[in-house]
Amino acid sequence: PPSPPPSPTVSAASPSPTPTRASSMGESAGPAVLVDVGADDVAWITLNRPASMNALSAEIVAGLLDAVDAISQSRARVVVLTAAGPVFCPGGSLTDGGASSGFSDGGVLPLETAIRKLRFSMTVAQRLHEMPQVTICMINGGCAGAGLSLACACDLRYAVASSKFSTAFVNVGLSGDFGYSYLLPRIVGPAKAREICFTGSKFGADEALSMGLVSSVERDLPALRARVAALTAKLAGGAPLALLAMKRNLLESERQSLSEALDAEAARHAQCGAHPDAAEAGLAFLEKRRPAFSADSLRALQPWERARL
């Protein structure tokens, strides 16, 4: 089985190994968000403020925006979002002028300023959700509020058994942000989403699994890393053009009629069928071997072809 990924290192979202910042950094804490794109074309994004439980401060949001934008244009084919320490993310920071806060330097912001500030921060959830790569959230501990929203923005979610979940917004007198009202009902269903939002109750990883919020629960962090490593290896070895087209089909279907979805499926299916990846897959099936898809198949597309996909 694939080996668990190495501890994330700070690097640019390009093949260069030169370390770069994904966000502002302190002298001792390092970058708020770590980014690593490995030789296996898997990108790791790690929230890196364990001392504050990776609460969504302004610097973490800025780092996430930079990371998502850079990786979207990189060679990466799969993206994993996770966090350092025993907690994934408890939501927004309420005290430092962070993503979900109406405060700045101890003072209350004017309402319109607070709205603009928050709305800009929330673009990270949309950009994460709409990334061309398959995205996986590796939930390494507590996941609540806007942290849960970010997890829901990913395509897939896997959790360690000790994880606890909550929307939590109502418990602190807030209505919620970072896309939970759009994303959560599409994952667990409208009725269940209302229940966990209105009550703000905590629930464990097994309940998250039973409601379909996560795809798998692993006994400990090494097992979780191994599970995610095996999945990323499988996805990164898949047909890149087909995965790109499939992701776009699924994203567009969120706002399409059935007829429009069928039109999009027909166009992309035929386009994939005419690509060398499809011929390689067919030949590999006949020869009873794993297909060897070209890592350059996406980069070889002309800009107009990418736009059509």
Side-chain angles (χ1 to χ4, degrees), residues 201-212:
S201 300
K202 289 183 181 179
F203 54 94
D206 287 341
E207 187 173 352
L209 178 63
S210 69
M211 70 175 72

Side-chain angles (χ1 to χ4, degrees), residues 291-307:
F293 299 115
S294 171
D296 296 321
S297 61
L298 289 181
R299 287 191 286 273
L301 289 178
Q302 297 298 318
W304 66 270
E305 292 176 307
R306 281 182 173 271

Side-chain angles (χ1 to χ4, degrees), residues 268-276 278-279:
R268 293 188 177 117
H269 190 85
Q271 214 175 344
C272 288
H275 192 273

Side-chain angles (χ1 to χ4, degrees), residues 22 60-70 120-125 127:
I60 282 187
V61 170
L64 279 172
L65 284 168
D66 288 346
V68 168
D69 287 349
F120 175 76
S121 295
M122 289 196 295
T123 59
V124 71
R127 293 183 194 177

Side-chain angles (χ1 to χ4, degrees), residues 11 22 42 117 136 151 180 186 192 207 218 235 242 288 297:
S11 68
V42 177
K117 174 176 176 278
I136 301 166
Y180 82 97
R186 286 168 165 78
K192 192 64 179 178
E207 187 173 352
E218 305 301 330
L235 292 171
K288 295 181 171 52
S297 61

